[in-house]
């Protein structure tokens, strides 16, 4: 399915990541946004508020992020593509209904333009410290998909990917920007609508009586959805449920339900994972990074190469699910992984776990408020090569 | 007609055909989910029946009606209705319903949930949704406590009433729900009890047909927890209390509808006004402001 030309601002633009994300959402066919203002994400909602009335979208500013996320889940069941936008404190409030979206297998996109935390933290300055929260911030066992763009262009492109993945896997997708990427302005090329491929929601067309909203197989073949109002008279719940969507409070149903939620992502992780490699073939050290940190890391990698070090780079684009197989493979090849991230060690833990002692993992932490000094990353690369 | 003349063979015949075994509301109930979880003499079954009666009376196309509940005993209502039905999270039924109502403007959305769900944890959503005049009907089943979790005090527990977390009686002021709803912007506000089944069903019909944020409080017996803890007898005794103490006063000033422990309960229809809904107002306003640039939201 191709994008609707009405929503696609085809052409070359100079815009920041927040605005590019908004344009990406519109191009992806998102026509419902419920949100609550919070720095540094507000510009996404503001652009949507300007643009939606001209492209047939519905924007509503809710009373808080609890409501925003609940409204997004509700709206999605009418058949519309829906999203919300926030930053740390709001992301925390959204966790409740992100869990509901996971449990109800409701495709939607949650944008988090990360700022420093904990609590109110650094409202206007960058961090990447919500990566673990993105994965498991709501209670219970579930899996989601998370992406991390590193430029305004990617804020556009990957927002479309985020909606496509949400539809394909019937899962809430976390779009993990950071303040730097959100607020940096660069060239953003928006292609023609017919060059943008969208994943359309799969709707059930069969007999009404036979419809079940879920198929618990932990596989890529998920049950198609229906729209509220189309006469299927569905029931969906946040309680543990069977394939009819009916609640059943027992251990067997729990096992079927939860294994499915987790396995549909885990068993297909290699299909979902998306990363970019540079100069990895002969590398003895691989820098693993994402978002704004990957751009700072690039500087360090270039310097290290100039200094004659065999260093490569792996940039995570989809962060969750994590590319476990690839890290395991590389661990056999390299001496060290260097992981710069604007937190005190989150993704580095995943790297370390998958390296499983075969290669060392060197975290280059940063508590937030600014990006790394490339020299700190270079130092770690040298340590890793030694 | 003389009673003895009645043909007994017909009137007392035990129904045996498939058709007569059918529950009269089966088209609206997920019979396969019964028995329900509610206690004997709980009023929630009555409310559910009144809802179905009101819906039938409204002649709305049931395929276009969605029901949302939060969490609690009342929160189970959505799951028993054979309609598009959504069992959301505690307190979030109303914003979830906002998603449905704005997502597909053709839908009529009803929320059936408890006093704790709608007014405590969901209180902020409740007032803001009323303020915006989102097109939905909210039915708040007020059993004066948090029944599902074992009878704790809540935002409607009357002063001095006992609850598990108010073991010496409640000393917090309760909300007066019709007053709250009216002052927040609701276009239709009524209160009935689980005893007033016919009037309640009529109110539900009216509310469903009313564009905008309509609100009905239903005073409902919780025999297992509220009645037992307050030594009020059975659910039937609570119904007797409603019978003796409920006073119908349509158009009453909502500021005077506070419910005191085991005192009179003013019921009736208090508010019924016209006001453009959120979607209507948005549409009218934006088409005027943006002219031909405005593309109305059509739904999915
Ligand atoms: C976030 C959250 N907090 C607490 C609970 C526990 N809980 C379940 S139902 C309920 C209260 C329900 O009371 P009410 O809305 O009055 O419904 P009733 O059971 O009385 O019909 C609570 C506190 C929960 N499910 N979720
Ligand atoms: Mg209650």
């Amino acid at each position: 399915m191709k994008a609707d030309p009405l929503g696609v601002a085809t052409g070359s633009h100079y815009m920041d990541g927040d605005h590019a994300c908004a344009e990406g959402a519109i191009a992806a066919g998102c026509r419902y946004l419920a949100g609550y203002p919070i720095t540094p994400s507000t510009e996404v909602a503001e652009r949507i508020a300007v643009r939606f009335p001209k492209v047939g979208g519905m924007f509503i500013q809710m009373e808080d992020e609890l409501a925003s996320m609940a409204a997004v889940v509700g709206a999605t069941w009418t058949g519309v593509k829906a999203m919300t936008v926030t930053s740390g404190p709001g992301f925390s409030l959204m966790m409740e209904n992100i869990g509901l979206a996971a449990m109800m297998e409701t495709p939607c996109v949650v944008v988090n333009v990360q700022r420093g935390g904990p609590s109110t933290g650094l409202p206007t300055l960058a961090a990447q410290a919500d990566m673990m929260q993105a994965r498991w911030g709501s209670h219970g066992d579930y899996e989601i998909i998370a992406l991390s763009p590193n430029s305004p262009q990617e804020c556009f492109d990957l927002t479309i990917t985020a909606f496509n993945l949400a539809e394909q896997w019937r899962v809430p997708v976390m779009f993990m920007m950071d303040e730097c990427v959100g607020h940096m302005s660069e060239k953003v090329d928006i292609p023609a609508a017919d060059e943008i491929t969208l994943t359309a929601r799969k709707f059930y067309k069969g007999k009404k009586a036979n419809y079940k909203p879920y198929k618990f197989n932990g596989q890529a073949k998920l049950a198609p959805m229906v729209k509220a109002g189309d006469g299927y008279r569905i029931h969906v719940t946040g309680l543990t449920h069977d394939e009819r969507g009916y609640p059943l409070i027992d251990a067997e149903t729990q096992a079927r339900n939860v294994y499915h939620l987790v396995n549909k992502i885990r068993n297909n992780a290699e299909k979902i994972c998306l990363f970019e490699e540079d100069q990895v073939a002969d590398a003895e050290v691989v820098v693993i990074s994402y978002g704004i940190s990957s751009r700072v890391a690039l500087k360090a990698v270039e310097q290290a190469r100039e200094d004659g070090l065999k260093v490569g780079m792996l940039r995570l684009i989809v962060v969750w699910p994590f590319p476990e197989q690839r890290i395991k493979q590389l661990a056999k090849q390299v001496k060290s992984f260097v992981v710069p991230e604007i937190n005190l060690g989150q993704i580095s833990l995943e790297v370390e776990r998958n390296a499983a002692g075969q290669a060392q993992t060197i975290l280059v932490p940063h508590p937030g408020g600014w990006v790394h000094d490339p020299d700190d990353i270079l130092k770690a690369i040298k340590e890793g090569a030694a | 007609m003389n009673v003895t003349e009645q043909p007994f063979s017909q009137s007392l015949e035990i129904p045996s055909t498939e058709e007569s075994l059918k529950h009269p509301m089966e088209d609206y109930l997920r019979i396969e989910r019964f028995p329900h979880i509610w206690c004997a003499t709980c009023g929630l079954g009555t409310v559910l029946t009144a809802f179905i009666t009101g819906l039938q009376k409204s002649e709305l196309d049931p395929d276009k009606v969605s029901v949302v509940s939060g969490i609690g005993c009342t929160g189970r209502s959505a799951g028993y209705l054979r309609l598009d039905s959504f069992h959301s999270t505690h307190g979030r039924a109303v914003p979830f319903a906002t998603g449905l109502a704005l997502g597909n403007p053709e839908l009529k959305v009803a929320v059936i949930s408890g006093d704790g769900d709608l007014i405590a944890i969901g209180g902020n959503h409740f007032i803001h949704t009323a303020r915006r005049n989102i097109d939905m009907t909210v039915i708040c089943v007020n059993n004066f406590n948090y029944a599902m979790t074992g009878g704790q005090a809540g935002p409607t527990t009357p002063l001095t009433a006992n609850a598990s977390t108010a073991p010496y009686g409640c000393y917090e002021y309760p909300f007066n729900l019709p007053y709250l709803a009216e002052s927040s912007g609701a276009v239709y506000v009524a209160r009935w009890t689980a005893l007033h089944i016919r009037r309640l069903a009529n109110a539900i019909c009216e509310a469903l047909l009313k564009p905008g944020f309509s609100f009905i409080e239903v005073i409902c017996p919780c025999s297992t927890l509220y009645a037992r803890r307050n030594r009020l007898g059975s659910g039937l005794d609570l119904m007797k209390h409603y019978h003796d103490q409920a006073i119908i006063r349509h158009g009453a000033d909502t500021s005077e509808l506070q419910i005191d422990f085991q005192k009179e309960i003013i019921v009736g229809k208090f508010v019924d006004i016209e006001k453009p809904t959120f979607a209507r107002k948005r549409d009218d306003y934006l088409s005027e402001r943006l002219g031909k640039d405005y593309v109305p939201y059509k739904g999915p």
Side-chain angles (χ1 to χ4, degrees):
Chain A
M1 176 191 174
K2 296 297 172 192
D4 177 358
L6 178 65
V8 183
T10 304
S12 277
H13 305 261
Y14 183 68
M15 62 169 73
D16 73 15
D18 279 0
H19 285 223
C21 170
E23 288 303 330
I26 296 168
C30 172
R31 290 295 180 273
Y32 192 102
L33 188 144
Y36 188 81
I38 184 166
T39 307
S41 75
T42 309
E43 293 89 333
V44 183
E46 285 173 342
R47 191 173 183 105
I48 291 280
V50 172
R51 292 269 284 131
F52 263 13
K54 299 175 182 177
V55 299
M58 176 62 76
F59 165 76
I60 181 168
Q61 183 173 314
M62 300 297 287
E63 54 277 11
D64 59 33
E65 291 86 348
L66 300 157
S68 302
M69 192 61 216
V72 163
V73 181
T76 302
W77 281 95
T78 69
V80 69
K81 288 187 182 178
M83 82 187 296
T84 186
V85 184
T86 190
S87 186
F91 200 49
S92 290
L93 291 188
M94 285 177 185
M95 284 303 145
E96 174 188 62
N97 294 298
I98 287 173
L100 182 68
M103 190 60 150
M104 287 183 169
E105 298 191 61
T106 307
C108 55
V109 172
V110 180
V111 177
N112 177 1
V113 187
Q114 294 171 88
R115 65 191 224 182
S119 190
T120 313
L122 297 172
T124 58
L125 299 176
Q128 298 178 309
D130 306 345
M131 300 308 295
M132 281 296 178
Q133 186 185 22
R135 185 182 200 183
W136 281 330
S138 198
H139 53 281
D141 278 313
Y142 64 98
E143 293 283 353
I144 49 78
I145 295 173
L147 292 96
S148 175
N150 81 345
S151 67
Q153 181 67 52
E154 276 199 350
C155 287
F156 177 84
D157 296 337
L158 293 180
T159 299
I160 297 171
T161 309
F163 275 98
N164 287 349
L165 287 169
E167 294 299 339
Q168 188 179 351
W169 299 102
R170 276 190 69 176
V171 77
V173 174
M174 308 296 121
F175 197 63
M176 303 299 287
M177 294 167 55
D178 54 68
E179 186 276 334
C180 285
V181 165
H183 282 164
M184 75 164 56
S185 290
E186 288 182 341
K187 189 176 168 206
V188 175
D189 284 324
I190 299 184
D194 61 7
E195 290 166 31
I196 298 173
T197 304
L198 304 181
T199 304
R201 185 164 306 169
K202 281 188 207 76
F203 287 113
Y204 175 80
K205 299 252 156 43
K207 268 206 181 128
K208 283 187 177 158
N210 298 341
Y211 179 68
K212 286 182 187 159
Y214 301 108
K215 195 187 280 175
F216 291 160
N217 51 13
Q219 294 302 321
K221 237 180 137 42
L222 301 172
M225 295 179 74
V226 295
K227 298 175 189 172
D230 276 359
Y232 291 92
R233 313 248 189 132
I234 51 165
H235 181 62
V236 290
T237 175
L239 284 169
T240 295
H241 49 266
D242 63 17
E243 295 188 339
R244 297 171 301 174
Y246 289 6
L248 284 175
I249 309 303
D250 61 63
E252 295 89 75
T253 312
Q254 169 76 354
R256 270 197 297 278
N257 192 355
V258 175
Y259 269 121
H260 169 70
L261 296 180
V262 167
N263 286 342
K264 72 174 178 180
I265 302 299
R266 282 192 198 165
N267 292 346
N268 295 293
E270 298 305 313
K271 278 186 217 148
I272 302 167
C273 283
L274 205 60
F275 52 86
E276 197 177 72
E277 291 183 352
D278 185 32
Q279 308 185 80
V280 166
D282 66 339
E284 291 175 355
V285 176
V286 167
V287 177
I288 298 179
S289 196
Y290 55 94
I292 191 62
S293 298
S294 66
R295 296 178 64 154
V296 183
L298 194 60
K299 170 93 178 145
V301 169
E302 280 168 5
Q303 185 60 52
R305 277 277 168 185
E306 272 177 37
D307 294 351
L309 294 172
K310 288 187 174 165
V311 52
M313 170 123 169
L314 186 151
R315 178 167 74 93
L316 300 165
I317 296 170
V318 165
V319 178
W320 306 121
F322 192 74
E324 300 190 354
Q325 295 312 320
R326 185 57 185 146
I327 303 302
K328 286 189 172 117
Q329 254 173 14
L330 284 174
K332 293 187 194 132
Q333 170 194 324
V334 304
K335 281 190 199 156
S336 313
F337 293 112
V338 170
V339 188
E341 48 184 342
I342 310 178
N343 60 54
L344 303 188
Q346 297 194 9
I347 298 303
S348 63
L349 297 176
E350 272 302 276
V351 175
E352 193 168 27
R353 189 175 67 80
N354 285 289
Q358 293 198 281
Q360 71 168 327
T361 301
I362 305 171
L363 166 70
V364 190
H366 193 304
W370 194 226
V371 294
H372 290 83
D373 181 338
D375 284 346
D376 292 339
I377 303 172
L378 185 62
K379 228 181 280 168
I381 293 172
K382 286 183 174 159
E383 184 193 327
Chain B
M1 187 171 61
N2 187 325
V3 183
T4 51
E5 280 174 22
Q6 214 161 5
F8 273 95
S9 57
Q10 270 176 39
S11 62
L12 290 185
E13 197 176 30
I14 296 164
S16 61
T17 63
E18 279 287 299
E19 191 53 30
S20 59
L21 280 174
K22 199 174 153 179
H23 189 288
M25 288 181 169
E26 189 166 317
D27 291 346
Y28 294 85
L29 290 170
R30 296 186 195 273
I31 296 286
E32 67 276 22
R33 291 211 49 215
F34 286 7
H36 55 67
I37 65 158
W38 296 323
C39 307
T41 79
C42 170
L44 280 164
T46 312
V47 177
L48 201 69
T49 309
F51 180 80
I52 294 169
T53 309
L55 175 61
Q56 285 172 318
K57 231 182 135 180
S58 76
E59 293 182 1
L60 288 169
D61 175 359
D63 283 350
K64 298 286 176 203
V65 176
S66 283
V67 180
V68 187
S69 289
I71 304 298
C73 294
T74 315
R76 292 304 189 98
S77 302
Y80 295 129
L81 286 167
R82 194 178 296 290
L83 297 168
D84 284 326
S85 53
F86 300 88
H87 187 213
S88 64
T89 42
H90 192 30
R92 318 300 167 219
V94 166
F96 192 104
T98 295
L100 288 165
L102 297 183
N104 183 351
E106 272 185 26
L107 297 179
K108 184 74 213 188
V109 183
V111 171
I112 308 176
S113 221
D115 47 283
D117 187 88
L118 287 165
I119 307 301
I121 190 166
N124 198 35
H125 311 310
F126 179 81
I127 60 174
H128 283 279
T129 310
R131 169 180 66 77
R132 294 185 191 107
N133 200 24
I134 303 279
D135 188 16
M136 71 172 72
T137 295
V138 175
I139 297 168
C140 176
V141 177
N142 182 3
N143 51 18
F144 302 117
N145 74 150
Y146 285 22
M148 177 62 100
T149 42
Q152 294 79 27
T156 59
T157 307
L159 279 168
T160 74
N162 289 329
S164 74
T165 49
Y168 310 110
C170 177
Y171 43 80
E172 272 186 38
Y173 300 108
F175 262 130
N176 163 350
L177 300 189
Y179 188 34
L180 179 68
E182 183 184 20
S183 38
S184 303
V187 292
Y188 181 99
V189 180
R191 176 195 278 159
W192 296 103
T193 77
L195 183 73
H196 298 85
I197 40 175
R198 195 171 45 81
R199 294 176 197 272
L200 175 60
N202 287 344
I204 289 169
C205 171
E206 276 186 352
L208 288 172
L209 293 174
K210 180 101 197 165
F213 188 91
S214 50
F215 175 71
I216 301 170
E217 176 184 13
V218 188
I219 307 298
C220 182
C222 170
S223 54
T224 307
L225 296 159
Y226 183 75
R228 188 172 50 86
R229 201 161 266 124
N230 285 289
R231 301 180 193 285
L232 300 176
S234 67
L236 191 61
D237 291 313
L238 285 182
M239 288 295 219
K240 279 193 192 116
H241 167 68
Y242 302 159
H243 178 266
D244 298 341
Q245 295 286 337
I247 301 167
I248 299 176
R249 200 174 289 157
H250 295 299
D253 182 340
T254 56
S255 71
E256 289 163 7
L257 300 181
Q258 194 69 42
I259 298 174
D260 293 321
F261 184 59
Q262 289 300 95
K263 294 278 164 49
E264 62 177 29
I265 301 170
I266 310 291
V267 295
K269 177 166 84 176
F270 313 120
V271 178
D272 191 351
I273 59 168
E274 305 298 321
K275 196 163 74 176
T277 65
F278 174 95
R280 173 112 302 260
K281 197 144 178 59
R282 177 185 186 272
D283 234 22
D284 291 351
Y285 186 82
L286 289 176
S287 46
E288 200 182 309
R289 280 302 299 266
L290 298 179
K292 61 177 176 25
D293 285 342
Y294 177 55
V295 181
Y297 178 78
K298 284 268 160 29

